[in-house]
Amino acid sequence: MDSSSLDAAASVLAKSKYLVALTGAGISAESGVPTFRGRGGLWEKYKVEELATPQAFRRDPAKVWSWYKWRMEIISKARPNFAHVALAKLEEMGLLKALITQNVDGLHRRAGSKNVIELHGCIWRLRCTSCDYAEEVEEPVREVPPRCPRCRSLLRPGVVWFGEALPERELKRAYQEVSRADAMLVVGTSGVVMPAGMLPLLAKERGAVVVEVNVEESAITPYADYFLRGRATEVMKALFEGICERLGKSP
Ligand code: OAD
């Protein structure tokens, strides 16, 4: 981690008036939740078109659900890490105004973040494929595939699959927050899935400063004002402490 860019980024973020964060799978990696791309990523072992599309679900709902049940089991054992906690604390301090995430694991909310925009939905929210039944669960589903208690149709995970539109309300909120941002903190995303991946660019085009935290370069790095290379927990700890110091608050 380069300490001069870390100090400079901490100063810029501490002075910001409207800080918005964007997170991806990398922020939950150290909680034990696998990422999608890169070495050991889910898309290396599994095929998107067999597991994460509406067609795959129509073809073989049990197969799709077994995969989601397995992911639910992993996530249910995971705990928010310091990077999640730091973002929750920055919001509590009044500095971070909104957190846009592509993650479906719910770890930001568990860490205490309030204004969370879950652009790709949440794995813990189930909804019926026929009626308007929906529920939030806390444990992995038992029955595979699970059925609607009201109409016995199939339930589906409340996540966005490839080829599906993003939830309109969340997307609108995300654009609104980005349009207000004078600083954007991007943590642990490859930045290749749209439209989430282009939010930092939109912010940048409107004059916001972009600070990126990632173990490696991403699609966002070429235009990031500060690229802080390292693991999310380590960089976020140093960044959080640097921000607190500049704001005269104890971390
Ligand atoms: P990816 O798996 O594409 O990228 C994870 C990013 O996190 C990479 O840039 C890694 O370098 C970085 N990373 C890994 N470990 C890290 C760590 N400990 N600290 C910091 N960075 C780390 O995940 P996303 O960008 O979130 O969509 O993927 C976007 C979307 O693609 C997901 O929401 C999902 C997926 O297909 C849907 O399912 C619709």
Side-chain angles (χ1 to χ4, degrees):
M1 207 187 329
D2 168 3
S3 65
S4 64
S5 25
L6 191 117
D7 286 346
S11 293
V12 167
L13 296 183
K15 280 189 214 130
S16 68
K17 298 276 172 289
Y18 207 96
L19 172 62
V20 173
L22 171 71
T23 66
I27 197 168
S28 297
E30 292 164 79
S31 292
V33 183
T35 60
F36 294 94
R37 293 169 191 81
R39 214 170 342 118
L42 291 172
W43 297 148
E44 196 177 71
K45 261 183 274 160
Y46 303 98
K47 290 202 175 96
V48 173
E49 60 278 14
E50 283 178 15
L51 298 163
T53 66
Q55 294 82 349
F57 187 70
R58 275 198 296 273
R59 220 170 24 236
D60 196 343
K63 179 174 179 179
V64 170
W65 259 116
S66 310
W67 192 64
Y68 277 92
K69 180 180 160 87
W70 169 70
R71 287 181 58 202
M72 282 173 144
E73 277 157 6
I74 294 175
I75 296 167
S76 69
K77 289 183 205 118
R79 299 280 163 272
N81 63 49
F82 188 75
H84 298 106
V85 172
L87 290 174
K89 287 187 175 180
L90 289 173
E91 182 183 21
E92 203 180 287
M93 283 160 52
L95 190 69
L96 182 71
K97 304 293 194 264
L99 199 175
I100 304 166
T101 188
Q102 299 163 83
N103 299 344
V104 298
D105 55 31
L107 290 179
H108 284 302
R109 283 188 287 150
R110 274 173 58 196
S113 286
K114 301 276 183 298
N115 191 18
V116 183
I117 302 172
E118 293 176 320
L119 268 190
H120 293 169
C122 178
I123 202 165
W124 301 111
R125 211 171 295 134
L126 312 186
R127 61 173 207 265
C128 181
T129 50
S130 298
C131 73
D132 60 5
Y133 178 83
E135 67 173 317
E136 290 254 349
V137 296
E138 287 179 355
E139 284 172 19
V141 292
R142 291 202 187 152
E143 185 192 359
V144 166
R147 297 212 163 252
C148 176
R150 236 187 251 160
C151 74
R152 301 305 298 160
S153 299
L154 287 172
L155 289 176
R156 61 162 285 174
V159 301
V160 176
W161 283 324
F162 282 86
E164 289 187 314
L166 266 60
E168 214 173 299
R169 198 173 142 264
E170 271 67 22
L171 191 57
K172 198 168 157 210
R173 275 175 68 207
Y175 283 132
Q176 256 165 11
E177 297 293 3
V178 167
S179 73
R180 291 188 193 134
D182 65 348
M184 187 136 189
L185 175 58
V186 184
V187 188
T189 178
S190 56
V192 296
V193 173
M194 297 304 149
M198 69 175 191
L199 294 175
L201 187 58
L202 286 183
K204 170 98 181 173
E205 281 169 356
R206 299 181 59 100
V209 172
V210 175
V211 176
E212 183 187 22
V213 178
N214 201 311
V215 284
E216 57 188 45
E217 293 187 6
S218 75
I220 290 147
T221 319
Y223 63 86
D225 296 280
Y226 300 94
F227 174 58
L228 308 176
R229 188 191 293 272
R231 281 145 53 118
T233 53
E234 284 161 28
V235 180
M236 285 305 294
K237 183 169 187 292
L239 195 60
F240 179 67
E241 285 170 2
I243 292 172
C244 288
E245 196 182 303
R246 280 158 184 84
L247 293 177
K249 303 203 180 203
S250 55

